[in-house]
Amino acid sequence: MCLAIPGKLLTAEEHNGVRIGRVQFGGITREACLDFLPEASVGDYVIVHVGFALSRVDREEAERSYALLESMGLLEGELQSDLHDSESSPGGRAGAGGRPL
Amino acid sequence: MKYLDEYRDERIARNLAAEIGRRARRPWTLMEICGGQTHTLMRFGIDEVLPPGIEMVHGPGCPVCVTSLETIDKAIAIASRPAAILVSYGDMLRVPGSRTDLFHVKASGGDVRVVYSPVEALKVARAHPNRPVVFFAVGFETTAPANAMAIWQAKREGLANFSMLASHVLVPPAIRALLSSPHNRVQGFIGPGHVCTVMGCREYEQLAREFRVPIVVGGFEPMDLLEAILMLVTQLEQGRAEVENQYVRSVTYEGNRLAQKVLGEVFEVCDRKWRGIGQIPASGLSIRREYADFDADTIFDFEGFTVPEPAECISALVLQGRKKPTDCPVFAARCTPEHPLGAPMVSSEGACAAYYQYRRHMVAGAGAN
Ligand code: SF4
């Protein structure tokens, strides 16, 4: 749960004074808070940790480290959530429950 | 070098490994702090391409692994209450408490929900205003600002049913404790790239000066680690002990000021017990008094929560870099990711889990396949 994952910022909106965006990680998207990274704008690649964008990276860097995390099987644990049962997991692995139990 | 072959930039990686070999004239023992880095080292066999004198030992940088048994038991106690909802990061579910784990509590009817973000924990609390919703929040400095933001937001909204069981740990005091130990063998550190993305590099300079130890803040890709090792070996051979930043793609000297600000607003530094290691002074973050209404430790009554650690798990020594997981007598035998006896076997970033995934063939008779 300690990793930070790069993804592409698809949208950015304000909800009750908090700036929230949707970030695409491979085949899935998750909400991310943008309050720690106000300079992030739609189309940017951002490093996200537990739903908070922490820094910006370039596209090539984002794609490379995403592919690496996926190859190590580290993504499903990181993006696992009971609130997203209907979405598919990265790399087509077992359902939103993450690691097979 | 069979693992490195799978890496795209294999040629550059090999050149870096060769350069480390040329520069290293003496043996050096180096530690990577972060569990994600441990995972990469094992996955790509980086430890195996280094010259024989360069030994990598693995640090305590897995928040799941160092969360104390008491804290896990508190989470289990909360999850076992009929009305309560315990919300947690997925990794925490299989961490063994003294008697059971959260996964079993969930299986026998406890309301335990996995979220990927504190923002989702708040959503659960909003959706169930009549039930206490407790977010079990662990993590290093990378995670703490996000968790802090959840409390800050809950207070702003007046979300009275939300609270946090917080067990945050800080990296620099852990490095200090390792370096102060008479058993310490570590001569150089690869600093945690994502922790430093938030906190910057300043805190590490003091450590480097005081203990005369080089620290290179590194990323988690194979090339990052090889480059960080090369930078460490270069410093050691030249007799330097400085903080250098290999992971400039994400880490600045100052770190993320906005994240630091929220962290400081909600949390304050406290002593913290690390699983396996014991109490480390000023190594944790607790919720400030101004936010006590959101602190599960104040809201719930936890009396008599001190429990001994299982004797056969040597995770204390593993987390301090004094033993390798393969030195543990029950590694890959009675302790596996399916039936973990200690936390480093649970989390994907735990050293024992990384060794289980990539190195269990090294243990004779361990049922490797
Ligand atoms: S292999 Fe299991 S029992 Fe041994 S140190 Fe690791 S977690 Fe503990």
Side-chain angles (χ1 to χ4, degrees):
Chain A
M1 56 141 303
C2 206
L3 292 170
I5 307 174
K8 184 181 183 180
L9 187 58
L10 301 178
T11 62
E13 278 164 30
E14 190 133 333
H15 288 289
N16 310 290
V18 182
R19 208 161 151 253
I20 299 273
R22 292 206 58 86
V23 180
Q24 182 178 7
F25 306 98
I28 68 168
T29 59
R30 289 274 183 270
E31 270 183 3
C33 176
L34 305 175
D35 279 1
F36 296 153
L37 200 66
E39 65 270 33
S41 51
V42 170
D44 281 351
Y45 286 80
V46 291
I47 291 192
V48 177
H49 176 67
V50 298
F52 285 72
L54 292 180
S55 61
R56 271 195 302 186
V57 286
D58 63 35
R59 179 191 172 143
E60 211 183 301
E61 151 80 2
E63 284 170 358
R64 195 181 58 228
S65 45
Y66 183 86
L68 182 81
L69 286 169
E70 191 172 37
S71 79
M72 296 201 290
L74 290 178
L75 285 175
E76 66 236 75
E78 211 66 35
L79 294 168
Q80 186 185 349
S81 165
D82 287 344
L83 273 59
H84 292 267
D85 281 335
S86 56
E87 286 178 79
S88 63
S89 286
R93 289 189 184 82
R99 222 169 297 159
L101 293 170
Chain B
M1 287 194 208
K2 66 175 194 285
Y3 306 100
L4 214 49
D5 295 350
E6 299 166 23
Y7 187 58
R8 270 181 29 161
D9 300 302
E10 184 209 329
R11 207 168 50 85
I12 311 175
R14 280 172 195 279
N15 287 342
L16 278 169
E19 187 59 29
I20 294 169
R22 273 192 291 277
R23 293 219 194 153
R25 304 189 174 280
R26 283 163 285 176
W28 301 107
T29 302
L30 312 176
M31 174 183 273
E32 82 284 356
I33 294 290
C34 163
Q37 294 168 335
T38 307
H39 205 102
T40 303
L41 281 179
M42 294 296 112
R43 166 74 175 81
F44 291 95
I46 288 174
D47 52 334
E48 295 175 355
V49 302
L50 294 175
I54 306 296
E55 187 191 353
M56 297 305 298
V57 294
H58 317 301
C62 162
V64 177
C65 304
V66 301
T67 301
S68 74
L69 207 46
E70 279 105 285
T71 310
I72 307 285
D73 280 355
K74 285 179 187 177
I76 289 169
I78 292 170
S80 309
R81 291 177 174 232
I85 304 177
L86 187 89
V87 183
S88 174
Y89 297 123
D91 271 355
M92 300 309 292
L93 262 62
R94 297 197 68 100
V95 180
S98 55
R99 253 166 259 128
T100 180
D101 59 35
L102 286 168
F103 177 73
H104 281 95
V105 175
K106 184 180 167 90
S108 53
D111 200 341
V112 179
R113 303 190 193 185
V114 170
V115 291
Y116 111 101
S117 160
V119 176
E120 293 191 336
L122 290 174
K123 282 188 187 166
V124 175
R126 288 187 203 108
H128 302 278
N130 299 320
R131 298 174 63 188
V133 173
V134 182
F135 179 43
F136 184 18
V138 304
F140 282 104
E141 294 94 322
T142 329
T143 321
N147 294 344
M149 191 70 125
I151 293 192
W152 185 85
Q153 181 73 15
K155 181 165 182 169
R156 217 186 53 147
E157 280 178 46
L159 207 53
N161 63 323
F162 178 83
S163 66
M164 181 177 288
L165 178 63
S167 184
H168 296 95
V169 274
L170 301 172
V171 171
I175 295 185
R176 172 174 298 275
L178 287 170
L179 287 170
S180 307
S181 157
H183 303 288
N184 174 57
R185 300 164 50 222
V186 181
Q187 295 160 297
F189 287 90
I190 303 181
H194 290 137
V195 166
C196 293
T197 298
V198 171
M199 300 306 286
C201 303
R202 199 187 305 271
E203 299 173 288
Y204 296 83
E205 286 182 338
Q206 164 108 32
L207 287 167
R209 261 199 308 272
E210 202 179 317
F211 293 92
R212 289 215 41 81
V213 63
I215 302 173
V216 174
V217 176
F220 66 93
E221 296 180 35
M223 212 97 84
D224 291 330
L225 293 169
L226 283 164
E227 201 182 348
I229 293 166
L230 178 61
M231 289 163 83
L232 282 173
V233 167
T234 306
Q235 283 205 46
L236 286 163
E237 291 292 347
Q238 294 174 351
R240 289 187 292 127
E242 293 161 18
V243 173
E244 293 177 317
N245 181 9
Q246 180 276 328
Y247 196 34
V248 285
R249 309 196 297 286
S250 179
V251 176
T252 60
Y253 182 75
E254 296 292 342
N256 185 322
R257 288 277 188 84
L258 291 169
Q260 292 167 21
K261 188 159 169 263
V262 174
L263 188 154
E265 159 74 23
V266 175
F267 294 132
E268 62 192 353
V269 173
C270 66
D271 296 344
R272 171 77 70 217
K273 188 171 170 190
W274 295 48
R275 188 168 191 164
I277 298 177
Q279 186 95 352
I280 302 180
S283 69
L285 293 171
S286 61
I287 299 170
R288 282 186 188 276
R289 218 165 350 132
E290 296 88 313
Y291 294 87
D293 291 350
F294 301 93
D295 188 348
D297 261 309
T298 342
I299 299 171
F300 295 89
D301 178 26
F302 297 114
E303 275 300 318
F305 268 86
T306 39
V307 268
E309 319 248 351
E312 54 198 347
C313 176
I314 63 158
S315 66
L317 299 172
V318 172
L319 293 169
Q320 295 172 77
R322 287 163 57 190
K323 292 262 191 227
K324 296 278 164 71
T326 39
D327 298 327
C328 176
V330 292
F331 171 80
R334 280 192 305 118
C335 182
T336 64
E338 286 71 38
H339 298 284
L341 291 181
M345 190 55 100
V346 175
S347 163
S348 47
E349 285 128 53
C352 297
Y355 270 70
Y356 185 85
Q357 198 170 346
Y358 302 117
R359 293 288 187 284
R360 67 180 187 275
H361 57 267
M362 287 168 52
V363 187
N369 51 37

